[in-house]
Amino acid sequence: MRNGRIATTIVPMRASGLPLRVAIVTMVLGCTLLGAGAQDLNFKRRQAETILNQVADDVLKHYYDPKLHGIDWNAKLRETKKKIENATSSNLAFANIAAMLDTLDDSHTFFIPPGRSFMLDYGWRFQTVGERCFMTRVRPQTDAATKVHPGDEVLAINGYTPRRANIVRIEYVLNVLRPQSKIDVTIRSVAGEERRFEIVPKVFEGQFGSPTVGDLKIADDLEYKRIRPKLVLLDGDVLVVKIPEFFFEEDAVSKLLGEARKHKSVILDLRGNPGGAEESLAWLVSGFFDHEVKIADAVARDRTKPQIAKPVRHPFTGKVTVLVDSRSTSAAELFARVVQLEKRGVVMGDRTPGMVMEAQEYGHASADTIFGVSVTTANLIMSDGNSLEHVGVAPDELVLPTVDDLASQRDPVLAHAAEIAGAKLSPKEAAELFPYEWEKPYRFAGH
């Protein structure tokens, strides 16, 4: 949860057998980097040390475990300062700050580096299916579109083999810590051919100044349309509900329930859902149970607060199926696990990654530089006494797409869920129910 939200953050895991703090620094050193300025090196180091001090202090004051898992935080701070004193760039200095936070091994505690005047679009989406990583989407009219295809297995990115244990951290380096002007990629095609090449992302510069009120409204409207719940009724009286994120109001759940009550079965598709607002999660849980449900206990450093979903007057009482995958995180994981624990329905798909904590973002400004840190403020303990952090949700029925399914853009998971619920839906038809919507790579300056 960030600022009252349960949300996706960046999992600090292990990469390629190296401790992640080493992996972060290695990836930053070994890549072609964008945004390096010509500032005086000593100024860069002083600025980075100021940022380090503030970030370390935020963790010390707000982290849910005041003992910091037994880590000597002051010693860790001194060690990182020495590394910054010898850093040859801001990139490396920031990498060491991120690596220091990684020692907590916490999915919701991470460094938010200063922003940049550009944005990158790599033109791809990849994720783990089971334990292997595959290209799942390729954006048209990008360099990636000329070199990779859905179904290609990703063998290496900048020398790192993406797996469940490190894929989110690789994305953190590429998208947050240090966007890069070219990516070294090795793939195995559907036909079995291995190739190594570079992918060059699109670079959008100068689009991130101060937006007008009109800009913000247009951007918010577009984002709302992309992440709003979407409903499709199948023959056989089965309602499929795609929930891209847990950001919706209570009246949206009321409308969803009003439609759901007309039908015998509901499939809630939470695949790719990165989480969202605690309130949205509670509203959705309330709509599918006829009694009060404890979602979890939020165990903070000074108190424990139960997260409760109170029953609504007319909940949906029919059959419930929940779909999850390796991109279903945080609130999506909590919902799926509550359904399992309360024996309310069946969870199908792939195992979720276990990114489930409650956090607060702290923003700061120093020397005209804006930066921040996400700090975990509570661990979420389910009614069975366990945390989902680093564990995830094991589906009741493991259903995975094959390489051919990915390449042909078929969805056997939704097709199987529909069949079990009593509807006829081919894997190809299932994939076409909810067309993929790419995020706009920029929002302002007339775009």
Side-chain angles (χ1 to χ4, degrees):
M1 179 194 305
R2 280 190 247 147
N3 304 333
R5 296 174 178 176
I6 303 169
T8 297
T9 53
I10 307 302
V11 179
M13 296 183 179
R14 305 298 172 203
S16 299
L18 293 172
L20 186 59
R21 57 186 178 276
V22 177
I24 291 173
V25 176
T26 302
M27 288 187 73
V28 170
L29 279 173
C31 299
T32 303
L33 306 176
L34 287 174
Q39 302 176 47
D40 176 75
L41 183 57
N42 287 331
F43 173 78
K44 292 180 182 180
R45 290 167 175 165
R46 290 196 300 271
Q47 182 187 57
E49 185 171 335
T50 298
I51 292 173
L52 169 67
N53 287 334
Q54 184 62 69
V55 166
D57 190 54
D58 284 336
V59 172
L60 193 61
K61 289 180 178 177
H62 305 294
Y63 195 68
Y64 79 99
D65 176 9
K67 296 182 180 180
L68 300 173
H69 308 315
I71 295 172
D72 187 335
W73 201 239
N74 289 327
K76 188 62 62 178
L77 179 61
R78 290 192 297 270
E79 175 186 332
T80 306
K81 283 182 177 179
K82 289 182 179 179
K83 292 178 179 178
I84 289 176
E85 288 173 2
N86 296 316
T88 54
S89 69
S90 294
N91 299 329
L92 187 55
F94 293 157
N96 280 302
I97 295 174
M100 174 179 169
L101 296 185
D102 176 67
T103 59
L104 291 168
D105 195 27
D106 184 303
S107 71
H108 281 54
T109 298
F110 60 96
F111 176 46
I112 305 170
R116 300 173 179 85
S117 61
F118 62 87
M119 187 173 182
L120 300 186
D121 176 13
Y122 294 109
W124 62 22
R125 294 293 181 272
F126 54 81
Q127 72 180 74
T128 55
V129 178
E131 295 300 325
R132 298 160 67 190
C133 180
F134 295 92
M135 291 288 175
T136 55
R137 306 281 177 182
V138 182
R139 193 166 195 155
Q141 300 180 337
T142 61
D143 186 50
T146 67
K147 299 172 181 176
V148 297
H149 305 87
D152 289 345
E153 183 174 2
V154 185
L155 302 179
I157 298 176
N158 288 341
Y160 283 78
T161 300
R163 290 289 183 264
R164 279 181 175 269
N166 66 2
I167 187 171
V168 182
R169 178 53 64 181
I170 289 174
E171 291 183 314
Y172 172 72
V173 174
L174 296 182
N175 298 325
V176 179
L177 187 60
R178 180 45 52 189
Q180 297 163 20
S181 61
K182 59 181 67 174
I183 308 294
D184 182 82
V185 179
T186 303
I187 63 99
R188 180 186 292 119
S189 71
V190 176
E193 177 191 5
E194 290 191 16
R195 292 185 295 119
R196 179 178 177 180
F197 46 83
E198 288 184 342
I199 288 181
V200 179
K202 284 187 176 182
V203 182
F204 299 92
E205 298 193 61
Q207 309 296 343
F208 307 100
S210 299
T212 66
V213 172
D215 286 332
L216 290 173
K217 185 179 186 306
I218 292 172
D220 286 345
D221 288 346
L222 289 172
E223 185 66 4
Y224 171 74
K225 289 178 181 178
R226 189 182 69 81
I227 68 174
R228 73 190 186 284
K230 303 171 181 65
L231 286 65
V232 173
L233 180 62
L234 304 179
D235 292 337
D237 205 26
V238 178
L239 183 68
V240 183
V241 183
K242 177 69 175 179
I243 303 180
E245 296 188 22
F246 277 85
F247 285 112
F248 42 78
E249 300 298 329
E250 188 172 14
D251 63 344
V253 177
S254 297
K255 292 177 182 178
L256 187 161
L257 291 175
E259 183 62 31
R261 285 193 295 267
K262 302 174 185 177
H263 311 291
K264 68 177 184 180
S265 183
V266 169
I267 299 172
L268 295 169
D269 190 349
L270 304 185
R271 291 174 298 171
N273 186 314
E278 177 186 351
E279 294 85 357
S280 297
L281 171 62
W283 291 327
L284 192 67
V285 171
S286 295
F288 287 87
F289 292 86
D290 60 5
H291 58 278
E292 182 175 285
V293 174
K294 177 189 283 188
I295 298 172
D297 282 319
V299 182
R301 65 192 297 159
D302 56 354
R303 64 188 176 94
T304 296
K305 179 183 177 182
Q307 295 180 352
I308 302 295
K310 297 185 178 298
V312 297
R313 186 174 181 180
H314 298 295
F316 174 74
T317 57
K319 184 177 180 179
V320 175
T321 304
V322 181
L323 306 185
V324 294
D325 64 6
S326 65
R327 291 287 190 187
S328 304
T329 62
S330 207
E333 296 182 84
L334 287 169
F335 185 90
R337 186 58 180 151
V338 166
V339 167
Q340 287 182 329
L341 292 172
E342 296 288 329
K343 303 186 186 306
R344 178 64 181 89
V346 177
V347 177
M348 293 183 184
D350 200 355
R351 180 166 60 87
T352 67
M355 298 169 62
V356 189
M357 300 292 270
E358 184 175 295
Q360 174 79 31
E361 288 183 2
Y362 299 91
H364 303 282
S366 174
D368 297 324
T369 297
I370 298 174
F371 63 95
V373 59
S374 175
V375 181
T376 292
T377 55
N379 190 9
L380 299 177
I381 305 300
M382 307 295 291
S383 62
D384 62 353
N386 297 315
S387 169
L388 293 176
E389 180 76 354
H390 299 324
V391 176
V393 177
D396 301 307
E397 188 171 350
L398 184 68
V399 187
L400 304 178
T402 65
V403 172
D404 287 339
D405 288 327
L406 295 172
S408 300
Q409 298 289 274
R410 297 191 297 255
D411 187 351
V413 183
L414 178 54
H416 178 69
E419 180 182 11
I420 297 301
K424 291 184 178 180
L425 187 69
S426 72
K428 190 65 176 178
E429 291 170 334
E432 295 170 352
L433 282 189
F434 304 103
Y436 186 78
E437 297 181 57
W438 290 91
E439 303 92 333
K440 285 185 70 65
Y442 46 88
R443 291 181 172 178
F444 310 129
H447 295 277

